[in-house]
Amino acid sequence: FELLKMNRLARGLCKAKSGARAVRFATTTTLTNTDYEPFFSEASKRRKPSAVRKLQPLMQLEGMISLGGGNPNPTTFPISAISFSIKGDDGASETQLELPLADVNRALQYSPTPGLPGLVDQLAQIINKYHRVDVRETANGDVQRSISVTTGSQEALSRAFHAYLNPGDPILIENPTYSGALAALLPLAPKHVAIATDNHGLVPSVLKQTLETIKNTASMPLPKVLYTIPNGGNPSGNSITAQRKKEVYEICSEFNILIMEDDPYYFLQFGDTIAPSYLSMDRDNRVLRFDSFSKVVSAGIRLGFVTGPEPLINRLNLDAQASSLHTSGMSQAILLRLLEHWGLDGLDNHLKQVVQFYLGQKTAFFTAAEKHLGELATWNPDVSAGMFAWLKINDVDDTTQLMGPAVDKRVLLLPGESFTPPMVDIHSGLAPQQAAPTPFVRASFSVGTAEAFDTALERFAAVIREYRSQCSN
């Protein structure tokens, strides 16, 4: 099956070379299989399917005798069984889960790059339940969507940036944004076209005005990718509204831009309803969605997955074939057994418990913030998802100056500079070497008690007062 998909992709690329229209430079509607090549980086275009990896699905065919692969003999593996315990709904009782022997054997051996087939099927059901997208059906046009399991969503982001961006390319990115994304982008030295955000997420009018300015001034090529965190943004904690999402999607459609929807806090939304995703409104086949289990199952299990148009996903798989081969089979098998045990209803119940926990954490943190920082800082009191608070410190221009004294008082926060992209001048195309100082700090309320929050923010308030006193002398 994987080999057939690779052959389909190869045929699509041949068509693109011979007669594809220049979709990057004109308003487009629905993307088809032959429309994606202009989005690929030159490095990605040079990647070829691994001859050994192509054998993986063929080795599963009934009656096949494989002398072509390089799989180690499983009789030499010392692990013979895998079992683990999970907490009950009451948090006290436990249930023992054991992997069937066949699943153990699959977990210990090389497996398909996109993931264990059983797990991919479970993930497709999750996408269908929460986003009303059937991965198994062809989307608009001739594009098939697919899923690839990754070693956390961080690995998927890094792969995607390198697959779709050449060194020095412009990229649309929120300000502020995830520091891990900035780190992954750093080797590519892109031009960060920063788009302003507010308490309701990315501002569509700024996005459109920015793109029109670039188009009219020709200071640089139009960006072909928007990287965005729609819910509980890291670091801001802000979430974009459903109406703004629709506007952003229409703008990306007008300028033919791919949307990288990085949504690790999707399941940590505090409202009564879950906001619609960009994936759920993707009529043009331009959304690549990144999900993570780090926040709701385990960070150490290192499992995420990416969903999107098959031509885009295949680029990520080709990169993995030349690096990690596939995500840990052990981690995949454990998650698969857990999801099979829970079912979709059990997963939903677990997610609701996680949301209630983080809602309590949020309430405790902002209660302490109001008590100690009410006259020293401002923040968005209506954080609707995630685990972060974005605090603007009054009368402080550069919060990096606060970090050393804060450590001395035994409290840790991160300065806003860590989350600020070095913004390109869209009129000249010139980019600074580093980000400008900011008056913001990021605090996380994921770990800690109400008492710990109270003590930490009392200490940080003292740091702010001492710094301001020194500056005024």
Side-chain angles (χ1 to χ4, degrees):
F1 178 67
E2 187 177 26
L3 178 61
L4 294 176
K5 291 201 295 185
M6 289 295 184
N7 288 338
R8 278 208 312 274
L9 174 63
R11 290 196 297 271
L13 292 180
C14 289
K15 291 178 184 176
K17 291 177 181 177
S18 62
R21 62 187 186 276
V23 296
R24 277 296 310 136
F25 309 103
T27 299
T28 186
T29 52
T30 300
L31 294 170
T32 65
N33 278 320
T34 59
D35 292 333
Y36 289 99
E37 188 172 7
F39 292 102
F40 301 151
S41 68
E42 293 304 315
S44 183
K45 290 176 184 177
R46 288 192 290 269
R47 291 200 181 278
K48 304 296 181 186
S50 163
V52 175
R53 291 274 89 197
K54 289 192 293 186
L55 296 179
Q56 279 293 324
L58 301 180
M59 291 168 62
Q60 311 305 317
L61 296 178
E62 185 177 355
M64 180 65 70
I65 300 175
S66 175
L67 303 178
N71 288 8
N73 194 305
T75 62
T76 65
F77 298 160
I79 299 172
S80 60
I82 300 174
S83 62
F84 58 98
S85 299
I86 62 171
K87 303 172 186 175
D89 291 341
D90 58 5
S93 60
E94 291 189 348
T95 299
Q96 186 84 4
L97 299 181
E98 185 168 351
L99 272 64
L101 181 59
D103 289 355
V104 173
N105 292 336
R106 275 191 289 269
L108 297 175
Q109 191 55 273
Y110 291 127
S111 57
T113 297
L116 294 175
L119 179 58
V120 172
D121 183 65
Q122 289 286 327
L123 300 178
Q125 293 180 45
I126 291 172
I127 289 293
N128 192 13
K129 174 180 174 64
Y130 292 99
H131 305 282
R132 296 294 184 261
V133 172
D134 192 338
V135 179
R136 295 162 293 190
E137 291 184 358
T138 301
N140 292 337
D142 61 351
V143 176
Q144 180 78 33
R145 289 194 179 94
S146 62
I147 289 174
S148 185
V149 179
T150 58
T151 306
S153 59
Q154 179 70 32
E155 181 199 40
L157 289 176
S158 182
R159 283 194 212 163
F161 289 142
H162 284 78
Y164 312 134
L165 296 174
N166 292 307
D169 274 358
I171 180 172
L172 294 163
I173 195 163
E174 294 167 335
N175 182 25
T177 193
Y178 171 44
S179 59
L182 293 175
L185 285 166
L186 189 61
L188 292 168
K191 294 180 177 179
H192 298 88
V193 182
I195 307 300
T197 61
D198 59 21
N199 288 355
H200 305 291
L202 187 153
V203 183
S205 60
V206 176
L207 174 63
K208 183 159 188 177
Q209 183 180 26
T210 299
L211 289 168
E212 288 176 342
T213 299
I214 294 173
K215 181 179 179 181
N216 293 333
T217 62
S219 59
M220 68 183 86
L222 277 170
K224 53 186 178 179
V225 174
L226 165 65
Y227 170 71
T228 179
I229 308 172
N231 295 296
N234 180 359
S236 69
N238 298 331
S239 300
I240 190 170
T241 63
Q243 179 57 38
R244 282 193 178 185
K245 273 184 185 169
K246 293 176 183 177
E247 294 175 32
V248 168
Y249 187 92
E250 292 303 324
I251 293 168
C252 289
S253 180
E254 177 184 350
F255 287 88
N256 196 23
I257 292 167
L258 299 180
I259 299 174
M260 288 178 57
E261 181 179 27
D262 183 16
D263 211 357
Y265 309 103
Y266 176 79
F267 289 119
L268 298 186
Q269 297 184 55
F270 304 135
D272 295 331
T273 59
I274 292 181
S277 63
Y278 283 111
L279 180 66
S280 70
M281 58 183 71
D282 186 23
R283 66 174 189 275
D284 293 347
N285 311 324
R286 66 178 65 256
V287 174
L288 199 66
R289 178 177 173 80
F290 300 81
D291 282 283
S292 172
F293 286 98
S294 294
K295 314 302 184 292
V296 296
V297 173
S298 163
I301 204 170
R302 303 308 305 134
L303 281 176
F305 65 103
V306 56
T307 308
E310 190 172 72
L312 297 179
I313 297 293
N314 278 335
R315 287 288 128 188
L316 307 189
N317 288 338
L318 288 178
D319 181 85
Q321 289 179 8
S323 54
S324 60
L325 301 185
H326 60 79
T327 295
S328 164
M330 296 273 279
S331 292
Q332 291 189 68
I334 290 171
L335 180 61
L336 171 57
R337 182 69 186 91
L338 179 62
L339 294 176
E340 288 176 337
H341 171 76
W342 273 340
L344 290 175
D345 290 340
L347 171 63
D348 204 51
N349 289 335
H350 171 71
L351 295 174
K352 289 176 181 176
Q353 292 180 351
V354 175
V355 167
Q356 287 303 307
F357 172 82
Y358 282 107
L359 182 58
Q361 295 290 103
K362 169 197 158 183
T363 300
F365 178 87
F366 284 116
T367 297
E370 189 64 42
K371 176 180 177 182
H372 297 291
L373 301 178
E375 297 179 354
L376 301 174
T378 58
W379 57 85
N380 175 14
D382 299 319
V383 170
S384 60
M387 53 180 63
F388 300 112
W390 188 234
L391 309 174
K392 183 178 182 180
I393 311 304
N394 300 336
D395 303 318
V396 175
D397 296 325
D398 181 5
T399 52
T400 60
Q401 302 299 314
L402 303 177
M403 297 302 104
V407 170
D408 291 341
K409 289 188 181 295
R410 298 299 185 265
V411 58
L412 290 177
L413 301 97
L414 279 173
E417 183 180 309
S418 303
F419 307 92
T420 305
M423 295 175 276
V424 67
D425 184 327
I426 60 174
H427 297 280
S428 67
L430 298 177
Q433 295 301 308
Q434 61 184 25
T438 81
F440 291 92
V441 296
R442 189 201 75 174
S444 170
F445 51 78
S446 59
V447 178
T449 62
E451 293 76 13
F453 295 151
D454 188 79
T455 301
L457 295 185
E458 182 180 25
R459 292 173 180 175
F460 189 54
V463 169
I464 297 171
R465 290 191 180 96
E466 289 173 10
Y467 177 80
R468 287 165 57 172
S469 176
Q470 293 169 4
C471 291
S472 64
N473 292 333

